[in-house]
Amino acid sequence: MARVVGRLRISRATEESTSLERQEELIQQWADMHGHVVVGWAVDRDVSGSVDPFDTKGLGPWLTDTGSDKYDLLVGWKLDRFGRRVIPLNKLFGWCLDHNKALVCISDQIDLSNWIGRLVANVIAGVAEGELEAIAERSSASRAKLLKLGRFPGGAVPYGFQKYRADVGWKLKAHPEHSKIVRRIVNEIISGKSVSEVAHDLTEDKVPTATGKKSRWESMTLWQITESKTLLGYATYKGEVVRDDQGEPAMLAEPLITLDEWNRLQAARERRRNPNTKRTRSASPLLGVAKCATCGGNFTHMDHNKEGKNYRYYRCTKNHPDHKQIPAKQIEDLLEEMFIDELGEYELEERRWVSASNHTEELNSAREAVAELSAVMEGIKSRGARDTLIKQITALDSKIATLEELPVTEAHWEYIPTGKTWGQVFRAADWSERRKTLTDAGITVDVKIEGQKGASGAWYANVIIPVDLLERLHIGSTEEHNKRREVRAEEIRKSLGIGN
C-alpha cells in the first residue's frame, strides 16, 4: 500500500468532464482499485497550465524536502493537470526521480521508472505545450476580434466605465459616478494642477478610489488613467489602439472626453512629467511666479520651526555669490502690493478654451492613424497583412483629402469679462488661489537681494506682465510701463520697510 497525493488543477470551471470534482473522483477510484491510500490533495483552482508546478500554491508545497516525506505517489488525471510546458514538466520529472517518487497519469498511463515512459511523457508534454500555445493564440485572436467589433472581451473594466450585457456579448458605457471623477481629474490637470496635487485633493475630499474604498489616491493611478485612450472610447489592445477595416479607431464606448481635451491633457501631463524632480506637499506658494533675477530659475520655499517659532524664506537654488535668502512674508507682501498697484483697477478676464471645429479633430486623428499604420507596415512581411493595412491607409487617405477641403477653425483661447477687478479677486484669495491666477495669466516677479545680511542690502524686484495682457488691458507700451514700475516698486519697498 502506497501513500498518494492527488493532483487537481483547472484553469476555468466550465466543463463537467474536467471539473475538480470529476478529477478527484477518478483519482480516488484509481487509488482504491490499487489498494493505495490518499493522504492529501494538491488543488489549484483557476491556475493556468503555463505556471511552473513548483510555483503553484496547491502542488508547490508537496515538491519540497519537507513535503516529500509524506507520500510515495503523485497522481493526476492527465499529464496536463501537472502543467503544459515541456521545461517545467521535465523539471518535475527529474525531481520525482531524485526523490524516489512515482508520477502517475491515469488517462495517459505514464511510468517514469524507465526511459520509454520518460520519452512518452516528453512527447505528451510537447503536445500539451502546443495546445497551450494554440489556446493562447485563439484567445488573443478572439480578444482582438471582439475589440474590433466594439465588444468588451472581458478582464478589468477601464476606470470611468462599467460593462453591460448587450444584444450580443458585453459592451461598455460611462459609469455614473466614476466618469464624473474622471472629468474632474482631467479638468484639474488641464487647468494647471500637478498630478500629485489632484491625487491629494481627491484623498482630502474622501473621493472613493478605483477600488470603491475611501482610501488614499496615488499619483501613479492618475498617470495610468490619463494615459489610456479608452478615455476617448477607443478599444485598445496591449496599449495600442485597435482599428477597424477603414483604419478608424474601433469604438468600445462613448468617449468620456473629446479629442481636443485629450490633446490638451497630454500636453499638460508632458509639462508635469519630470523624472528628476520630486514634489512635496509643502510646495512654494509662489512656485512658477517668483523667479531669480539673475538666472531666471524658480525660487525654492524653505519652511522650518525653531524654538517654537516658524521661519519661511525664498532663495534661488543656484547659490549665487552675494545673493541672500529673502523672508517669505516680505516678498509676498511686496508682490501683492506691486501686483495690485499694476493691475488692481482693471477688469479680470477669464480665459476659456475654444475647441477646434469637429472636422479639424477628425483630420488630426486621421493623420495620426496613417502615421501609426505606416510605421506598422515596415515590419509586415505577409501579403494578407499588408493588403489589410493598405486598405486601411487608402480609406484614411481618402478621408483626409475630403477633410482638407473643409473650412478650418483652429482651437484658440478667448477672454470673457468677469465683472470683477484683478484687485478684488486677488485680495479675496489665499496664496494658492493667487498663484493660480498669476500663472494662468503668465505673470512672474524677478527678485534678488545682494550685499548685506538678511532682508537689507540692495533689493531688486520687477513684476513681469506678458505683452498680450498689457495690450488687452490697453496699458501703455512695455517700455513706458517698465519705467513707471521701477519708480512705484521703489516707493512700495520703502512703504513696507524693505531694503535700503
Side-chain angles (χ1 to χ4, degrees):
M1 180 179 69
R3 298 168 298 171
V4 172
V5 167
R7 170 55 170 162
L8 310 176
R9 184 191 67 78
I10 193 168
S11 296
R12 290 184 302 171
T14 54
E15 299 181 23
E16 176 63 27
S17 60
T18 59
S19 69
L20 296 179
E21 292 76 12
R22 178 60 176 161
Q23 293 177 45
E24 181 178 347
E25 180 183 348
L26 291 170
I27 293 172
Q28 187 64 60
Q29 288 178 354
W30 181 89
D32 293 342
M33 185 183 303
H34 291 81
H36 302 316
V37 58
V38 178
V39 296
W41 298 95
V43 183
D44 282 301
R45 186 186 299 273
D46 298 325
V47 175
S48 170
S50 63
V51 179
D52 190 318
F54 289 84
D55 295 333
T56 59
K57 291 184 179 180
L59 181 57
W62 295 97
L63 304 178
T64 62
D65 291 339
T66 302
S68 63
D69 295 334
K70 302 174 183 178
Y71 66 97
D72 307 300
L73 303 177
L74 195 55
V75 181
W77 167 50
K78 294 179 67 174
L79 182 61
D80 61 14
R81 297 306 89 191
F82 292 96
R84 285 183 176 272
R85 293 169 53 216
V86 173
I87 293 177
L89 282 175
N90 269 287
K91 177 181 172 184
L92 175 63
F93 298 160
W95 184 90
C96 288
L97 291 174
D98 291 343
H99 291 77
N100 296 317
K101 305 299 177 187
L103 188 145
V104 178
C105 301
I106 299 171
S107 177
D108 300 322
Q109 298 183 348
I110 292 176
D111 180 3
L112 296 181
S113 62
N114 58 73
W115 70 269
I116 296 178
R118 291 192 291 274
L119 176 62
V120 172
N122 270 282
V123 171
I124 295 175
V127 173
E129 185 164 15
E131 290 178 352
L132 177 65
E133 292 178 359
I135 290 171
E137 289 177 3
R138 287 196 300 271
S139 176
S140 178
S142 174
R143 187 176 185 85
K145 181 65 175 178
L146 289 174
L147 287 169
K148 198 171 183 179
L149 294 173
R151 290 164 56 186
F152 181 58
V157 177
Y159 186 72
F161 297 91
Q162 63 182 15
K163 65 179 182 179
Y164 70 96
R165 185 176 291 280
D167 294 336
V168 179
W170 292 86
K171 292 192 174 183
L172 296 182
K173 63 180 180 181
H175 190 287
E177 300 300 329
H178 293 175
S179 60
K180 295 177 182 178
I181 299 173
V182 169
R183 290 290 324 175
R184 170 179 171 174
I185 293 169
V186 170
N187 290 337
E188 291 187 357
I189 293 176
I190 289 176
S191 70
K193 277 191 176 182
S194 70
V195 174
S196 60
E197 286 176 323
V198 176
H200 176 270
D201 291 346
L202 290 171
T203 302
E204 287 291 299
D205 294 342
K206 294 182 171 49
V207 176
T209 62
T211 61
K213 300 178 181 178
K214 293 182 178 180
S215 56
R216 179 182 179 84
W217 279 83
E218 299 293 341
S219 297
M220 182 57 66
T221 301
L222 300 193
W223 282 110
Q224 293 170 345
I225 290 173
T226 55
E227 74 180 357
S228 173
K229 285 194 172 181
T230 55
L231 294 179
L232 294 167
Y234 294 174
T236 61
Y237 182 59
K238 294 183 178 180
E240 299 295 328
V241 175
V242 177
R243 299 189 177 276
D244 60 21
D245 293 337
Q246 302 302 311
E248 300 284 357
M251 300 302 295
L252 193 60
E254 289 292 322
L256 298 183
I257 63 176
T258 67
L259 183 58
D260 181 64
E261 288 173 319
W262 166 264
N263 291 331
R264 291 165 58 206
L265 172 64
Q266 300 313 305
R269 277 167 40 96
E270 189 60 32
R271 288 193 297 270
R272 289 291 181 179
R273 188 186 294 278
N274 186 349
N276 297 320
T277 300
K278 294 183 179 180
R279 299 187 180 273
T280 67
R281 288 304 304 166
S282 59
S284 166
L286 296 181
L287 179 63
V289 177
K291 304 280 186 177
C292 174
T294 298
C295 68
N298 285 327
F299 269 16
T300 185
H301 178 246
M302 297 177 294
D303 185 349
H304 67 275
N305 295 299
K306 183 178 181 180
E307 297 179 355
K309 189 175 182 180
N310 179 254
Y311 296 88
R312 294 194 304 119
Y313 297 92
Y314 289 98
R315 66 186 298 273
C316 180
T317 58
K318 300 298 184 182
N319 293 318
H320 302 294
D322 297 327
H323 282 211
K324 307 301 180 184
Q325 61 187 16
I326 306 173
K329 188 175 187 310
Q330 291 194 354
I331 190 173
E332 290 164 5
D333 288 347
L334 178 62
L335 174 58
E336 179 178 358
E337 292 298 323
M338 291 180 68
F339 174 78
I340 292 176
D341 182 70
E342 294 270 3
L343 301 178
E345 65 187 48
Y346 295 96
E347 184 177 16
L348 174 65
E349 295 177 323
E350 183 180 90
R351 189 171 68 159
R352 293 182 183 174
W353 181 257
V354 179
S355 299
S357 57
N358 289 336
H359 69 265
T360 304
E361 293 186 5
E362 288 183 77
L363 184 59
N364 291 335
S365 178
R367 287 171 175 165
E368 180 184 341
V370 169
E372 289 180 3
L373 294 172
S374 299
V376 171
M377 183 175 287
E378 294 181 4
I380 298 299
K381 297 180 180 179
S382 69
R383 179 177 297 178
R386 291 185 67 85
D387 289 346
T388 299
L389 289 172
I390 290 173
K391 179 182 178 182
Q392 292 176 322
I393 292 174
T394 301
L396 287 167
D397 182 61
S398 176
K399 180 178 181 178
I400 290 172
T402 300
L403 291 173
E404 286 178 336
E405 297 299 319
L406 298 175
V408 174
T409 302
E410 298 289 346
H412 62 278
W413 290 102
E414 68 177 9
Y415 296 86
I416 310 298
T418 62
K420 299 179 180 179
T421 66
W422 286 86
Q424 289 172 332
V425 172
F426 205 77
R427 287 190 179 96
D430 60 23
W431 270 109
S432 175
E433 295 167 331
R434 291 177 176 183
R435 181 171 74 88
K436 185 178 185 307
T437 299
L438 294 170
T439 54
D440 284 350
I443 297 172
T444 59
V445 57
D446 290 349
V447 182
K448 68 178 178 180
I449 301 181
E450 294 179 334
Q452 300 176 27
K453 180 179 180 181
S456 59
W459 264 82
Y460 172 85
N462 186 27
V463 175
I464 308 299
I465 301 176
V467 175
D468 66 319
L469 177 56
L470 292 174
E471 292 175 347
R472 288 200 311 276
L473 298 177
H474 306 290
I475 303 176
S477 68
T478 304
E479 183 177 352
E480 294 171 354
H481 210 71
N482 284 340
K483 291 179 179 179
R484 176 177 173 273
R485 181 185 301 122
E486 290 176 5
V487 174
R488 287 294 300 142
E490 179 65 22
E491 293 174 353
I492 291 171
R493 284 198 298 273
K494 289 181 178 179
S495 68
L496 293 174
I498 299 175
N500 293 331

